[in-house]
Amino acid sequence: MATKKTTALLAYLAMHMGEAQARPKLAALLWGDHVETQARDSLRQALSLLRRALSCTCSDAAVVTHEDTIALAPTALDVDARVFEDLIKESGVENLERAIGLYRGEFLEGFQVSAPEFERWAAAERQRLRELALEGMAKLLDHHLSAGMIERGIYVATRLLAEDPLQERVHRTLMELYARQGRQGAALRQYRTCTELLSRELGIEPDAQTKTLHRHLLREWHRMQPPQVATLHRSASEDTPVRGGDALPATELLDRVVPPSVRTTAVLGNLPLLTTSFLGRDRELTRAGEILSNARLITLTGPGGIGKTRLALQLAAKLQDNYPDGTWLVEFAAFDNPDATGHAVADVFGITQQAGKTIEQSVANSLAGRRQLVILDNCEHLIDAIASLAREIMAACPHVTLLATSRETLMIDGERTLAAARGALPCSVRARQSG
């Protein structure tokens, strides 16, 4: 049976694959608190266990030993950390994308062994690889910004902040990307997150550039609101104290001055405005509403192009009064990476990944106390990843309801399904066609 120190020996040799390591050095690395003869005996035992373990997956020649040295053969194993490092040093966006895809957490995350010298080496490697990842993500973000790839930019910026949440420049970039999508609410929430983090962790305020962007976003937010909400917000702004010369974030200010009846329909949620009505779907809407009254997850299924998304939006608009924390849309059509699903949801709600938790766990924890409806739209190409995310949310969030649209079911406990019929045409289209 492999021991922790055998695993540690493998990790060290794998990161120096093809390089001969002196036996005394390895003994001191892992058994530095032993006398020399005991340390060498322990190294021999660990090496024997390592040979046995590798012989099941590699060849017997994976471990190369000489009288005074030990090494792994140069092609013995595929080591993600080494592949990541090679890719990050190569030129080209594709290599950067592959490298960042491989960086799924810190080096030897959660692994500890009673060997101070090894722990010091692992900590140094952890920091080195993390800095390479942050540098690679920053380059990738700059590329996506210059190429106008907003969705990919949001994904990378969110990952950057999960690794280093105090990067104000990245918060500002994310605010700009949200604004380019017309999502001023998400941009304002990001400013609020940035402000709270800087204040709590560093005791400082955002810089002038970030505050200027925030004021611009506020003006845009005012311009886009229905007259009743905009008037209330402007009136409150005149009498509300400022922090450090800057107005309170829009979301916080609205919490104070806008009546719940107005706030629910005008602020809490990101559903697009439905400018046309649909005929012939009343029966489906009624049936879906009945299912939602007794279930926390319903999946609208059917082939592409039959109006599943539109039906989901109609249903959410009809039921919005049932969800005091809003009705929300998360669109997955533009994502092709299963690892991005949790970030896509976090992006909508302005959630930052929590230390020691996956992004999916962070999302579930952040939504745990809310009463809201979340539409998961176009799930079929990411079905396994979205199903896993839905399980996390349903387990941790007793008052969150999920409404998925997909060509196939998520196949998880508690899911109810409704096969959507081919949708009717919008009334405005019907009128044009009848003429």
Side-chain angles (χ1 to χ4, degrees), residues 230-261:
T231 301
L232 282 167
H233 194 284
R234 279 195 295 271
S235 299
S237 299
E238 295 170 1
D239 301 321
T240 303
V242 296
R243 293 181 188 156
D246 197 15
L248 287 172
T251 48
E252 184 174 334
L253 195 52
L254 282 169
D255 288 344
R256 297 186 180 190
V257 302
V258 181
S261 61

Side-chain angles (χ1 to χ4, degrees), residues 160-220:
L160 254 173
L161 290 177
E163 297 296 331
D164 188 359
L166 297 178
Q167 288 199 44
E168 184 177 348
R169 182 188 72 86
V170 181
H171 282 283
R172 190 165 57 243
T173 299
L174 195 49
M175 290 164 64
E176 292 170 349
L177 288 169
Y178 286 144
R180 287 193 202 179
Q181 286 187 321
R183 297 169 58 193
Q184 270 68 26
L188 290 167
R189 283 193 299 275
Q190 193 64 41
Y191 176 80
R192 186 174 180 175
T193 298
C194 175
T195 301
E196 291 173 350
L197 280 169
L198 294 177
S199 175
R200 182 175 68 247
E201 302 297 330
L202 303 177
I204 62 175
E205 296 179 350
D207 63 25
Q209 190 175 354
T210 305
K211 288 182 177 182
T212 299
L213 174 59
H214 175 238
R215 284 191 289 270
H216 170 74
L217 291 169
L218 275 176
R219 286 194 296 270
E220 285 298 300

Side-chain angles (χ1 to χ4, degrees), residues 61-74:
V63 182
V64 181
T65 58
H66 295 287
E67 184 176 350
D68 293 321
T69 63
I70 303 171
L72 282 183

Side-chain angles (χ1 to χ4, degrees), residues 13 27 73 213 232 238 300 346 348 407 435:
L13 293 175
L213 174 59
L232 282 167
E238 295 170 1
L300 303 179
V348 167
R407 297 183 187 184

Side-chain angles (χ1 to χ4, degrees), residues 271-304:
L271 302 188
L273 182 64
L274 300 178
T275 57
T276 58
S277 60
F278 270 48
L279 297 176
R281 306 201 81 160
D282 290 346
R283 183 176 298 177
E284 279 183 291
L285 285 170
T286 300
R287 178 59 182 147
E290 290 172 351
I291 294 174
L292 275 181
S293 67
N294 296 296
R296 293 180 46 228
L297 167 62
I298 178 174
T299 302
L300 303 179
T301 62

